[in-house]
């Protein structure tokens, strides 16, 4: 293990924090989706780091990382489909302009 | 099995083309490109490019009589001729002590310029010239640096001998030389005393 | 047929000449410098060899292509610069260097500059995994083929960067089409590799080549029914992946001027050009590794076998270019999704069953299955004529 | 030889720093296309971190799935929704100071937890490498059920995305 475990955990914590910041602050829906991808990546790094160091079966971490990647791809696909549908109807992609439920 | 056949036939044609380009002679499928500077295409006799003036024997016996027909006929107006004036006959003075014969127009061009950058090789001058003096040449490599100045050809550049004319355009030149020879003999026969019919 | 001893040793020596040379040089170095420098230099040596070999191969691929296309069209290829035109690539290189590098006015300067760089990096990174000869793979990763597929899937990003940054409708259209084409041909390519991995029980390119070994009786995968269909599919996807005719619609001169690299000139265009040809070389190299037995071959040294087969495949690619007209967009996409993808899935099924049945019967059931599936797919993909388009505003 | 390991450690720290810088770029850049490209850089960076953690299969899958497919999806969406070259209006809403404060607190707390707890890093776990073979066996062995569920969800998401994004014929625009 080239890098000690706590360092990697802090790195993924920072990455996760940046992801949350992006999701909270961005006005553009695609920007929010991108930040969610960041958060999922941070979670993946933790999964792999723990699977490498702690004594539970080494593959579980990596397999769950694969599952997380698959889920992230799906969330991106469905999210962007919704964004396209929204853009076609409302002509805008900014969250604060899309605040009326229906009219 | 019609799906793949079109593709395979196409591939077979290009493969055959590729192979024959190496082994066959130019006629039957080989490569017939002419590598221009090294090899040259056979020149066609009637291929016409820039005009040139013909002289018999030596350059001063030029055929052109500076009549100016070609200058008028030339569509892009690229020919310019000025007729020569006779030089004074040496040491003879007429009554008003003007040199005899000075300033009389002579049947020779003093200046004969063809602007090759304007000439469009139409061959009108060759067609209208009554004195068989201007013909279309085959020389097409006439590149020059300054197109306004260097492409304006003067009389000295245009003059070419009759045997060059025979070499470049054999059939036409032969006919013209034949015609001129007959005309020459008829003139010489007429110039001698008419002893023919009188007898 | 066992070769006489001395002939085998000569062949062995010639075969490993490069490996021995590197080993000898490293031992020499080892005498003077500490250990870790030797390890570093061995990495640097293979890196430098790849970085030099890549562009040189690319240069002489362009010459080979122009020569072959010329000969197909019954004319000489370039033969003015140097004898038989051998210095033509250098002349092209100088021309590319000296050409003025025009950047569109309101282009996105940084991304415009970054795109050609980012497209060349994966093209060079893939050389890491290509096995040029016995023990001549730059890095023997145990996920060799997966690494190759992952790195070659990165090339969609720089294409987007190039087309978006030049702020030009045509390059944007070309970029979108190229990306769509590359993704839809990536899936059949990845799936057509699966049977090979199943048979050789490993992802690393070296073990794949070793499983196809056999001195004279060659066990190349291409001689099995699923191997042949897999090779055909992989090769077609390779031609589509590096945007070569007949799949070169996105950068078709007639429609989209030059697709996503319309606004590039000079050195940046040369990088796009280089990436395309290096992709072509590596894809052919991987096709030989997977299906044509990589560097396996009876007598000649191993690297000669590898380069011979790869250049044969490249000549076939050039042959395609000289023969086929361009695909229409919907035919291009339909071919990938409706024809290649089902065929690869069936191919995987056949390869799967191949292991549990003895050799003789395996042939009996796999060939009919493949032929029937090919026939039905062809029938399903009837000639599709798009229905007449309605122009409400026109009338 | 240990110089190489120090060099590798140094390299990993550099990659981590770069990834964090690009992540900040993703979050703060005004031009959405630039932030998408920074995300691509972050993804490739995390792939190299996985390589450092000896998880090369997941690194390759990350590059293949994330950088190859998800990034293309995001860039397609950006291209379809953003007007080419129009003035980039304000990208961030007014919550950023509050968000920063909250996050600093969050980072501080979790950081303390990370540094305090004695992680059970066993020597044996460090030694065992995970080969692709063992991953395949585990995926097909004890995790075959989630594997099938994931494929079902993938198909559902695929069809759902197409249905949502497809322009239904009778709609006028």
């Amino acid at each position: 293990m080239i890098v000690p475990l706590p360092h990697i955990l802090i790195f993924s914590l920072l990455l996760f924090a940046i992801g949350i910041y992006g999701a909270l602050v961005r006005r553009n829906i695609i920007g929010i989706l991108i930040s969610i991808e960041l958060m999922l990546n941070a979670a993946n790094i933790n999964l792999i780091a723990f699977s490498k160091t702690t004594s539970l079966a080494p593959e579980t971490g990596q397999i769950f990382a694969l599952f997380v990647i698959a889920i992230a791809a799906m969330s991106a696909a469905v999210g962007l489909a919704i964004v396209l549908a929204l853009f076609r109807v409302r002509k805008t992609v900014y969250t604060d302009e899309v605040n009326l439920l229906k009219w | 099995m019609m799906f793949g056949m079109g593709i395979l036939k196409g591939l077979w044609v290009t493969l055959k083309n590729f192979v024959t380009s190496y082994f066959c002679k130019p006629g039957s499928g080989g490569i017939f490109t002419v590598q221009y500077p090294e090899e040259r295409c056979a020149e066609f006799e009637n291929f016409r490019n820039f005009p040139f003036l013909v002289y018999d024997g030596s350059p001063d016996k030029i055929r052109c009589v500076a009549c100016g027909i070609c200058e008028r006929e030339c569509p892009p107006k690229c020919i310019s001729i000025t007729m020569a004036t006779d030089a004074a006959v040496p040491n003879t003075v007429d009554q008003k002590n003007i040199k005899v014969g000075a300033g009389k127009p002579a049947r020779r061009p003093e200046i004969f310029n063809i602007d090759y950058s304007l000439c469009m090789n139409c061959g009108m001058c060759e067609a209208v010239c009554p004195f068989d003096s201007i013909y279309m040449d085959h020389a097409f490599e006439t590149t020059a640096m300054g197109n306004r100045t260097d492409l304006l050809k003067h009389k000295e550049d245009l003059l070419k001998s009759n045997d060059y004319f025979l070499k470049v355009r054999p059939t036409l030149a032969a006919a013209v030389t034949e015609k001129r020879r007959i005309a020459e003999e008829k003139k010489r026969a007429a110039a001698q005393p008419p002893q023919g019919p009188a007898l | 047929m066992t070769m006489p001893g001395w002939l085998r040793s000569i062949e062995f020596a010639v075969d490993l000449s490069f490996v021995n040379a590197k080993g000898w040089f490293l031992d020499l170095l080892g005498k003077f410098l500490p250990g870790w420098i030797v390890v570093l230099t061995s990495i640097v040596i293979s890196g430098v060899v790849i970085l030099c070999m890549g562009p040189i191969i690319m240069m002489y691929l362009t010459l080979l292509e122009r020569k072959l296309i010329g000969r197909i069209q019954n004319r000489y290829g370039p033969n003015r610069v140097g004898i038989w035109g051998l210095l033509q690539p250098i002349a092209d290189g100088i021309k590319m260097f000296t050409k003025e590098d025009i950047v569109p006015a309101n282009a996105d300067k940084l991304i415009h500059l970054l795109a050609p760089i980012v497209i060349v990096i994966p093209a060079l990174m893939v050389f890491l995994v290509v096995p040029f000869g016995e023990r001549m793979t730059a890095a023997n990763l145990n996920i060799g083929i997966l690494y190759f597929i992952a790195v070659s899937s990165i090339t969609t990003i720089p294409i987007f960067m190039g087309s978006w940054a030049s702020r030009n409708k045509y390059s944007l259209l070309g970029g979108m089409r190229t990306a769509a084409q590359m993704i839809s041909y990536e899936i059949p390519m990845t799936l057509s590799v699966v049977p090979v991995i199943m048979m050789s029980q490993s992802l690393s390119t070296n073990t794949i080549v070793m499983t196809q070994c056999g001195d004279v009786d060659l066990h190349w995968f291409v001689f099995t029914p699923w191997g042949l269909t897999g090779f055909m599919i992989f090769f077609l996807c390779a031609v589509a992946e590096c945007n070569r005719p007949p799949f070169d619609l996105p950068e078709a001169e007639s429609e989209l001027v030059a697709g996503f690299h319309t606004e590039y000139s000079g050195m940046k265009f040369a990088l796009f050009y280089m990436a395309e040809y290096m992709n072509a070389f590596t894809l052919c190299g991987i096709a030989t590794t997977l299906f044509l037995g990589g560097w396996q071959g009876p007598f000649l040294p191993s690297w000669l076998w590898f380069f011979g087969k790869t250049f044969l495949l490249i000549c076939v690619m050039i042959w395609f270019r000289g023969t086929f007209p361009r695909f229409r967009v919907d035919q291009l996409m339909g071919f990938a999704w409706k024809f290649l993808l089902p065929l690869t899935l069936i191919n995987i099924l056949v390869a799967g069953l191949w292991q549990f049945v003895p050799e003789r019967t395996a042939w009996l059931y796999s060939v009919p299955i493949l032929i029937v599936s090919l026939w039905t797919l062809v029938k399903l993909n009837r000639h599709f004529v798009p229905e007449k388009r309605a122009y409400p505003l026109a009338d | 030889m240990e110089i190489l390991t120090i060099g590798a450690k140094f390299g990993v720290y550099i990659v981590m720093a770069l990834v964090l810088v690009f992540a900040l770029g993703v979050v703060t850049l005004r031009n959405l296309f630039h932030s998408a490209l920074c995300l691509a850089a972050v993804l490739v960076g995390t792939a190299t971190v996985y390589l450092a953690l000896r998880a090369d299969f997941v690194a390759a899958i990350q590059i293949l799935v994330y950088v190859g497919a998800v990034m293309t999806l995001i860039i397609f969406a950006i291209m379809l929704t953003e007007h080419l070259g129009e003035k980039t209006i304000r990208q961030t809403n007014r919550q950023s100071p509050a968000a920063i404060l909250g996050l600093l607190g969050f980072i501080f707390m979790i950081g303390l937890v990370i540094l305090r707890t004695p992680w059970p890093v066993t020597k044996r776990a460090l030694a065992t490498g995970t080969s692709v073979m063992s991953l395949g066996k585990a995926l097909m062995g004890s995790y075959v059920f989630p594997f099938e569920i994931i494929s079902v969800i993938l198909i559902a998401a695929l069809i759902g995305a197409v249905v949502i994004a497809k322009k239904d014929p009778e709609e006028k625009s």
Side-chain angles (χ1 to χ4, degrees):
Chain A
M1 242 316 249
I2 302 176
V3 183
L5 182 61
H7 294 191
I8 294 186
L9 295 186
I10 288 180
F11 165 66
S12 72
L13 168 68
L14 290 176
L15 201 60
F16 189 77
I18 292 172
I20 293 181
Y21 174 77
L24 290 176
V25 160
R26 274 264 182 199
R27 279 182 69 221
N28 190 328
I29 299 180
I30 300 178
I32 295 173
L33 273 174
I34 290 179
S35 335
I36 292 174
E37 298 293 328
L38 265 186
M39 290 198 265
L40 287 166
N41 264 323
N44 259 351
I45 293 174
N46 269 2
L47 274 174
I48 303 264
F50 282 128
S51 90
K52 192 73 197 72
T53 52
T54 54
S55 62
L56 51 90
E59 293 84 16
T60 31
Q62 300 200 4
I63 286 175
F64 274 96
L66 293 179
F67 289 158
V68 166
I69 288 179
I71 300 283
M74 272 182 286
S75 75
V78 176
L80 293 171
I82 293 170
V83 163
L84 284 186
L86 182 77
F87 183 77
R88 202 175 333 113
V89 172
R90 289 284 190 282
K91 290 290 173 295
T92 152
V93 189
Y94 288 99
T95 41
D96 45 17
E97 285 166 11
V98 185
N99 42 25
L100 296 180
L101 280 183
K102 190 126 186 55
W103 64 79
Chain B
M1 193 31 206
M2 54 40 191
F3 178 69
M5 290 318 288
I7 296 174
L8 297 182
K9 239 179 262 142
L11 285 173
W12 170 248
V13 164
T14 30
L15 184 68
K16 194 154 49 63
N17 227 335
F18 175 73
V19 170
T20 51
S21 76
Y22 277 104
F23 301 114
C24 292
K25 284 179 291 310
S28 62
I31 288 187
F32 45 83
T33 44
V34 171
Q35 304 281 357
Y36 166 64
E38 289 86 15
E39 311 151 11
R40 297 209 170 208
C41 285
E43 273 187 8
F44 301 99
E45 205 225 320
N46 283 338
F47 166 63
R48 60 170 186 261
N49 209 328
F50 297 112
F52 68 98
L53 293 173
V54 183
Y55 62 82
D56 308 303
S58 70
D60 55 8
K61 282 216 285 302
I62 186 170
R63 286 188 186 169
C64 171
V65 294
C67 59
I69 295 176
C70 58
E71 185 179 6
R72 276 192 301 281
E73 286 302 322
C74 176
K77 289 285 174 288
C78 64
I79 302 178
S80 64
I81 307 168
T82 50
M83 187 173 277
T85 56
D86 262 352
V89 176
N91 56 42
T92 60
V93 174
D94 65 356
Q95 57 286 14
K96 291 199 269 324
N97 72 27
I98 303 160
K99 288 215 176 327
V100 172
K104 200 150 55 61
R107 294 165 147 277
R108 280 179 290 94
E110 176 63 34
I111 303 167
F112 194 109
N113 295 347
I114 294 183
D115 187 349
Y116 272 6
S117 65
L118 288 178
C119 170
M120 62 178 191
N121 317 334
C122 58
M124 293 293 283
C125 45
E126 175 183 325
V128 297
C129 174
F131 300 98
D132 325 320
S133 84
I134 188 165
Y135 284 100
M136 305 308 280
D137 195 352
H138 283 182
F140 54 89
E141 285 135 340
T142 54
T143 52
M145 283 301 286
N147 61 357
R148 282 292 169 274
T149 53
D150 304 352
L151 279 177
L152 183 68
K153 298 292 178 188
H154 303 295
K155 188 170 72 172
E156 308 74 32
D157 323 328
L158 294 171
L159 274 174
K160 289 204 172 75
S161 69
N162 190 17
D163 28 24
Y164 171 80
F165 180 35
L166 282 165
K167 182 168 68 61
V168 162
R169 309 196 47 181
T171 52
L172 178 71
V176 166
T177 330
E178 187 52 31
K179 184 188 67 166
R180 287 183 70 84
R181 197 178 49 71
I182 296 164
E184 196 66 32
E185 269 142 20
K186 198 179 289 90
K187 200 153 54 100
R188 199 172 301 112
Q192 284 159 0
Q195 77 279 14
L199 286 178
Chain C
M1 192 282 288
T2 60
M3 281 204 298
W6 55 272
L7 188 60
R8 179 172 290 281
S9 59
I10 291 175
E11 193 256 346
F12 211 67
V14 166
D15 190 346
L16 297 177
S17 48
F18 293 111
V19 180
N20 299 346
K22 180 176 171 185
W24 170 79
F25 176 71
L26 287 180
D27 304 341
L28 184 72
L29 215 60
K31 293 194 188 66
F32 310 108
L33 302 170
W36 64 276
I37 291 186
V38 173
V39 171
L40 216 58
T41 42
S42 90
I43 296 170
V44 164
I45 286 174
S46 31
V48 163
V49 161
I50 286 178
L51 284 181
C52 300
M53 200 180 63
I56 288 171
I57 284 180
M58 168 257 161
M59 279 159 47
Y60 282 95
L61 271 190
T62 48
L63 177 65
L64 176 73
E65 167 149 29
R66 288 172 66 179
K67 279 282 196 192
L68 291 189
I69 293 287
R71 280 291 173 173
I72 285 178
Q73 293 158 357
N74 237 339
R75 57 179 170 79
Y76 298 111
N79 57 4
R80 285 290 153 193
V81 191
I83 39 169
W84 300 316
L86 285 178
L87 300 181
Q88 180 69 29
I90 295 157
D92 287 349
I94 294 169
K95 178 193 78 174
M96 286 290 181
F97 276 117
T98 50
K99 271 230 173 108
E100 188 216 350
D101 191 354
I102 303 159
V103 179
N106 52 11
D108 194 332
K109 301 287 182 293
L110 176 67
I111 309 286
H112 189 81
L113 169 73
L114 222 56
I117 297 166
V118 172
I119 204 167
V120 170
I121 293 172
L124 276 173
M125 268 164 70
V126 179
F127 275 93
L128 200 66
V129 155
V130 175
F132 294 104
E134 207 157 348
R135 290 212 298 279
M136 279 165 74
T137 325
N140 198 353
L141 304 176
N142 57 14
I143 51 156
I145 286 298
L146 191 61
Y147 169 87
F148 158 72
I149 291 168
V151 166
S152 73
S153 81
I154 294 182
T155 45
T156 37
I157 303 277
I159 286 170
F160 272 123
M161 286 159 73
S163 56
W164 179 264
S166 28
R167 289 284 190 278
N168 166 350
K169 278 196 302 298
Y170 294 113
S171 58
L172 191 60
L173 258 175
M176 287 268 207
R177 278 190 183 176
T178 319
Q181 171 189 333
M182 291 185 77
I183 290 171
S184 48
Y185 277 93
E186 204 178 291
I187 296 163
M189 185 166 90
T190 319
L191 289 178
S192 68
V193 169
V194 166
V196 172
I197 299 172
M198 278 157 55
M199 283 306 152
S200 49
Q201 310 290 335
S202 117
L203 283 168
S204 123
T205 43
N206 246 356
T207 31
I208 288 176
V209 172
M210 292 311 283
T211 47
Q212 298 173 38
C213 79
D215 209 2
V216 179
D217 52 349
L218 303 169
H219 302 289
W220 295 354
F221 284 139
V222 88
F223 296 140
T224 62
W226 53 269
L228 187 63
T229 36
F231 175 64
M232 286 298 160
I233 295 163
F234 187 87
F235 189 68
L236 285 178
C237 294
V239 172
E241 196 74 22
C242 45
N243 277 338
R244 284 187 60 79
F247 298 95
D248 69 341
L249 182 79
E251 54 194 49
E253 296 74 19
S254 53
E255 288 113 54
L256 293 172
V257 181
F260 57 91
H261 41 74
T262 323
E263 295 298 341
Y264 283 89
S265 59
M267 201 48 215
K268 290 184 190 150
F269 179 72
L271 285 181
F272 271 110
Y273 202 55
M274 180 179 353
E276 189 196 320
Y277 276 95
M278 272 199 277
N279 270 344
F281 179 76
T282 34
L283 279 164
C284 286
I286 293 289
T288 35
T289 321
L290 291 176
F291 295 98
L292 297 179
W295 39 265
Q296 297 287 353
F299 302 109
L300 303 174
S302 61
W303 38 270
L304 205 59
W305 271 109
F306 176 78
F307 277 105
K309 291 178 199 164
T310 314
F311 275 107
L312 186 77
L313 278 184
I314 286 172
C315 291
V316 171
M317 267 192 182
I318 296 169
W319 187 13
F320 276 5
R321 174 172 177 191
T323 320
F324 293 128
R326 202 166 286 129
F327 267 106
R328 219 180 34 214
V329 181
D330 55 337
Q331 288 165 342
L332 194 76
M333 293 301 164
F335 185 62
W337 291 100
K338 289 189 272 188
F339 186 81
L340 287 184
L341 194 54
L343 199 61
T344 44
L345 296 179
I346 293 165
N347 196 15
I348 293 174
L349 175 74
V350 165
L353 299 180
W354 184 268
Q355 275 177 328
F356 303 112
V357 178
E359 179 77 17
R360 188 56 45 220
T361 49
W363 273 85
L364 283 183
Y365 79 82
S366 57
V367 171
I369 286 183
L370 284 175
I371 289 177
V372 163
S373 58
L374 204 67
W375 192 74
T376 44
L377 281 175
V378 161
K379 275 288 167 277
L380 287 179
N381 283 317
R382 268 182 292 79
H383 184 54
F384 165 71
V385 177
E387 76 283 351
K388 194 155 181 351
R389 203 182 292 218
Y391 295 100
L393 306 176
D395 40 24
Chain D
M1 273 321 173
E2 76 298 338
I3 297 182
L4 284 186
T5 47
I6 291 173
K9 186 192 281 278
F10 197 64
V12 171
Y13 281 125
I14 288 177
V15 165
M16 283 194 200
L18 270 179
V19 164
L20 287 180
V21 165
F22 279 119
L24 277 174
V26 166
V27 164
T28 51
L29 278 179
R30 300 177 61 81
N31 181 338
L32 203 57
F33 189 68
H34 290 184
S35 75
L37 292 181
C38 289
L39 179 69
V42 164
L43 296 176
V44 173
T46 39
T48 39
V49 168
Y50 292 157
L51 281 179
L53 295 172
R54 290 287 181 286
D56 42 17
F57 182 75
V58 179
I61 291 291
Q62 153 112 345
I63 288 189
L64 181 64
V65 171
Y66 257 120
V67 179
V70 173
M71 274 318 297
T72 316
L73 205 63
I74 290 174
I75 289 178
F76 259 103
I78 291 174
M79 283 194 182
L80 291 176
T81 53
E82 220 190 60
H83 313 299
L84 190 63
E86 48 103 16
K87 189 180 60 51
T88 50
I89 48 177
R90 192 167 54 83
Q91 285 292 13
T92 58
N93 51 28
R94 290 161 313 286
Q95 296 159 344
S96 55
I100 291 176
L101 265 180
L103 283 178
L104 282 183
F106 168 71
I107 291 173
F108 181 72
M109 191 178 58
I110 303 284
L112 268 183
V113 165
I114 290 176
L115 294 176
R116 279 283 184 293
T117 55
W119 297 104
V121 181
T122 56
K123 274 288 158 291
R124 190 176 56 74
L126 284 182
T128 59
T130 55
S131 77
V132 182
M133 188 83 74
S134 60
L135 262 180
K137 283 199 174 61
L139 206 56
M140 282 301 145
S142 48
Y143 292 97
V144 74
F145 185 64
F147 180 75
E148 299 307 332
I149 295 286
I150 283 276
S151 50
V152 167
I153 300 176
L154 273 173
I155 294 291
L158 189 74
I159 296 167
V162 167
V163 164
I164 295 171
K166 187 166 64 64
K167 190 200 304 277
D168 29 20
E170 87 284 349
E171 209 195 315
K172 54 178 178 1
S173 74

